[in-house]
Amino acid sequence: MTALDLSSPVAVVGTGTMGQGIAQVALVAGHPVRLYDAAPGRAREAADAIGARLDRLVEKERLTGTERDAARARLRPAETLAGLADCALVAEAVVERLDVKQELFRALEDVVGDDCLLATNTSSLSVTAVGGALRDPGRFVGLHFFNPAPLLPLVEVVSGFATDVTSATRAYETARAWGKTPVACADTPGFIVNRIARPFYAEALAVHEDQGADAATIDAVLRESGGFKMGAFELTDLIGQDVNESVTHSVWQAFFQDVRFTPSLAQRRLVESGRLGRKSGQGWYDYRQGAERPEPHTADPVEPPAYVVAEGDLGPAAELLALIREAGIEVRAEGEDNGTRLVLPGGGQLVLADGRTSVEFRDVVYFDLALDYRRAARLALSASQFTSPRTVAQATGLFQALGKKVSVIGDVPGMIVARTVARLIDLAVEVVAKGVATAEDVDTAMRLGVNYPLGPLEWSRRLGGEWACAVLDNLHECAPSGRYAPSLALYRHAYAADKQEGTPS
Ligand SMILES: NC(=O)c1ccc[n+]([C@@H]2O[C@H](COP(=O)([O-])OP(=O)(O)OC[C@H]3O[C@@H](n4cnc5c(N)ncnc54)[C@H](O)[C@@H]3O)[C@@H](O)[C@H]2O)c1
């Protein structure tokens, strides 16, 4: 099954933000494109807007003048749905309402030919439900582009319950021929990206609600330690708090109010108060004229300890031992018993966040997970009221001696990056186990759809297959609501990793 022939006309119905983007992609790829919108004059305006964007592409020398003129000649608004009769693909991007989309597709079915592929760009409705209205739901697929469609490469190609393999393959190959990176997925709430990404926002909000740290500090730790391009607060301010909350809400509802997807009360209040983010001038941050961006918490410089005692190899944080030595601090190695910790002069311990709270221990400072300890510009530490100030100071001085900024946060189990990454891995492993998408497509989707520095499954391989399950097991013990309970799929994943490591070579 091959991509649609470039001579076949493509229709875009609903010519708002997404419709215009999708139309531009199909047009630049070489198709004749028809635009239809229910609002009078809107399709014509969309054609003009796309034309102006083509002009900018010529200015940026990404398109020649001749290519632009040919593309413009291929672009045509249609007055009625009947004007889409000769199209080989209709991509729908109308308002996100099931009844409106179903009615539209029923009407389209009477207009287009039998072999026309019908596609929805819905981000939160069930593809199966939208296609359920059709006489022939076999030719119906989800083609989920990301905003802005001309720039973002990812397209989730969603197969509903009744979608034919041939239709899904044709849609997939067509997206690829348009220069996109398609991933195939089954019809599940949030598809791949919007399902797996929920904890990225939820865990940051939870740390904030638990008084663990302020928004600026959490964002800085996610960026400078976790390697994420943006923190959860600045990103949701950009997306729009209302838009982000509505996706969370719809995924939670669609999973029958599964506690792992519970929306945040703090975000609800923000939306209710009209603080929607950049677009309203205020969200978690203030974007009004003259407003200052709050600084993340950064500890003042203190002396590093003269030495540390390493018990065990520090697991996912093993690189730290080399960094400490390079900083001229002596590392005394001791037996590996059950240890993956550093002991500081005076007996205080420094332990990688493992989902427990430091209240459980006498004198412990937890440090957060980093994507890459060598490159991380900041590290978060957490301590409880039982941690001695001397241990906090020595831990702070140690990381400062490695050239890191240090943020001391409250005693939240799993800290910031560790709990976020553990939950992303859990949801990703579960998506694969449930046959929603392949591991490779999941990682591609999360890297391209939300810009994660690593796909969650690749991250899990780097951390060791058991890591996420162990962190979530501990978190679940601290907060047994079910939110952190590792999925059965994650247990299996951890068990398989354990077996593999135990296999004699
Ligand atoms: N905006 C995003 O970031 C984004 C990303 C991915 C997917 N989506 C999905 O894409 C779809 C469109 O979103 P958008 O942000 O472009 O919306 P939009 O409001 O910018 O545009 C929707 C357009 O559809 C038209 N319309 C409404 N009902 C119609 C009908 N029955 N027939 C023809 N035209 C009709 C409206 O006049 C409007 O021009 C939604 O399903 C949304 O969930 C949006």
Side-chain angles (χ1 to χ4, degrees):
M1 178 58 63
T2 51
L4 289 181
D5 198 281
L6 285 181
S7 62
S8 308
V10 169
V12 175
V13 178
T15 58
T17 310
M18 292 309 292
Q20 289 183 26
I22 298 166
Q24 183 181 326
V25 171
L27 190 65
V28 171
H31 289 275
V33 173
R34 317 254 189 274
L35 301 173
Y36 174 79
D37 197 284
R42 190 70 65 80
R44 163 57 57 199
E45 285 164 23
D48 293 344
I50 293 167
R53 259 180 252 130
L54 296 180
D55 288 341
R56 283 203 289 282
L57 289 181
V58 174
E59 281 161 24
K60 289 182 190 163
E61 297 185 1
R62 295 217 219 109
L63 212 60
T64 65
T66 317
E67 284 165 339
R68 180 225 16 231
D69 295 344
R72 276 194 164 161
R74 290 195 301 272
L75 182 62
R76 219 173 63 201
E79 294 296 323
T80 61
L81 280 186
L84 314 180
D86 63 340
C87 289
L89 163 67
V90 180
E92 166 274 315
V94 308
V95 59
E96 187 77 336
R97 271 184 42 194
L98 180 62
D99 57 339
V100 175
K101 290 191 195 273
Q102 284 183 329
E103 194 185 318
L104 171 71
F105 280 110
R106 266 194 298 263
L108 278 166
E109 211 173 24
D110 291 335
V111 167
V112 298
D114 287 344
D115 55 354
C116 174
L117 202 56
L118 298 175
T120 177
N121 186 49
T122 184
S123 35
S124 63
L125 299 172
S126 151
V127 169
T128 307
V130 179
L134 294 174
R135 282 195 299 278
D136 173 15
R139 58 154 134 179
F140 187 74
V141 291
L143 261 185
H144 186 222
F145 287 80
F146 290 73
N147 187 20
L151 294 183
L152 294 186
L154 186 70
V155 179
E156 291 175 326
V157 181
V158 186
S159 287
F161 200 68
T163 306
D164 288 339
V165 175
T166 48
S167 304
T169 311
R170 172 154 277 197
Y172 183 98
E173 291 301 336
T174 300
R176 188 150 56 183
W178 292 357
K180 296 295 172 190
T181 305
V183 289
C185 73
D187 187 20
T188 169
F191 310 138
I192 302 175
V193 172
N194 281 338
R195 172 172 170 168
I196 296 176
R198 295 329 322 142
F200 179 74
Y201 315 108
E203 293 312 309
L205 286 159
V207 171
H208 189 262
E209 282 176 73
D210 290 347
Q211 306 295 306
D214 54 43
T217 303
I218 296 170
D219 277 353
V221 171
L222 284 168
R223 272 193 323 267
E224 298 172 33
S225 199
F228 293 96
K229 289 277 185 315
M230 292 177 88
F233 295 95
E234 55 197 352
L235 180 56
T236 50
D237 267 358
L238 180 67
I239 294 168
Q241 296 300 335
D242 51 340
V243 174
N244 183 260
E245 201 223 12
S246 129
V247 176
T248 301
H249 203 268
S250 88
V251 170
W252 172 65
Q253 286 291 12
F255 278 118
F256 308 109
Q257 304 189 352
D258 182 335
V259 68
R260 294 177 304 160
F261 296 103
T262 304
S264 142
L265 195 55
Q267 191 177 34
R268 183 87 284 265
R269 292 284 174 270
L270 203 68
V271 173
E272 284 170 342
S273 68
R275 287 168 59 161
L276 305 182
R278 282 174 187 262
K279 64 185 173 187
S280 73
Q282 253 184 309
W284 289 108
Y285 299 107
D286 193 340
Y287 301 93
R288 293 169 301 179
Q289 188 98 41
E292 276 182 27
R293 185 73 176 252
E295 289 292 326
H297 171 273
T298 304
D300 290 334
V302 285
E303 281 295 307
Y307 68 91
V308 292
V309 179
E311 290 188 357
D313 65 359
L314 293 193
E319 176 80 5
L320 278 178
L321 295 181
L323 295 179
I324 295 169
R325 287 194 187 96
E326 285 166 29
I329 297 171
E330 184 191 350
V331 178
R332 300 177 186 168
E334 273 193 7
E336 298 208 0
D337 58 354
N338 59 348
T340 49
R341 74 193 108 180
L342 294 173
V343 182
L344 297 162
Q349 295 179 20
L350 197 46
V351 181
L352 173 61
D354 61 3
R356 288 182 290 182
T357 128
S358 32
V359 165
E360 292 180 37
F361 306 96
R362 192 177 51 81
D363 192 11
V364 160
V365 167
Y366 273 112
F367 63 96
D368 207 351
L369 182 70
L371 171 68
D372 176 341
Y373 282 96
R374 187 170 286 277
R375 289 168 62 183
R378 176 180 301 271
L379 244 298
L381 301 179
S382 77
S384 76
Q385 67 267 38
F386 303 119
T387 313
S388 71
R390 180 181 59 181
T391 298
V392 177
Q394 287 177 342
T396 303
L398 177 69
F399 283 109
Q400 287 173 339
L402 311 188
K404 315 296 181 197
K405 291 179 189 146
V406 171
S407 295
V408 181
I409 68 166
D411 177 29
V412 280
M415 301 191 68
I416 299 170
V417 180
R419 58 155 66 191
T420 301
V421 172
R423 290 207 59 211
L424 293 174
I425 291 172
D426 185 26
L427 293 189
V429 166
E430 188 183 48
V431 155
V432 176
K434 287 190 183 287
V436 172
T438 64
E440 197 187 352
D441 276 359
V442 163
D443 276 357
T444 301
M446 302 314 288
R447 276 190 296 97
L448 299 184
V450 266
N451 247 319
Y452 289 175
L454 283 179
L457 296 151
E458 167 68 14
W459 220 328
S460 178
R461 270 193 295 281
R462 288 205 192 175
L463 293 167
E466 294 168 286
W467 180 84
C469 194
V471 170
L472 290 182
D473 255 339
N474 287 334
L475 270 161
H476 180 54
E477 206 166 299
C478 291
S481 66
R483 174 189 176 108
Y484 296 103
S487 66
L488 176 60
L490 190 65
Y491 274 117
R492 289 201 167 113
H493 181 77
Y495 188 68
D498 182 39
K499 276 264 193 240
Q500 226 163 23
E501 277 159 23
T503 307
S505 51

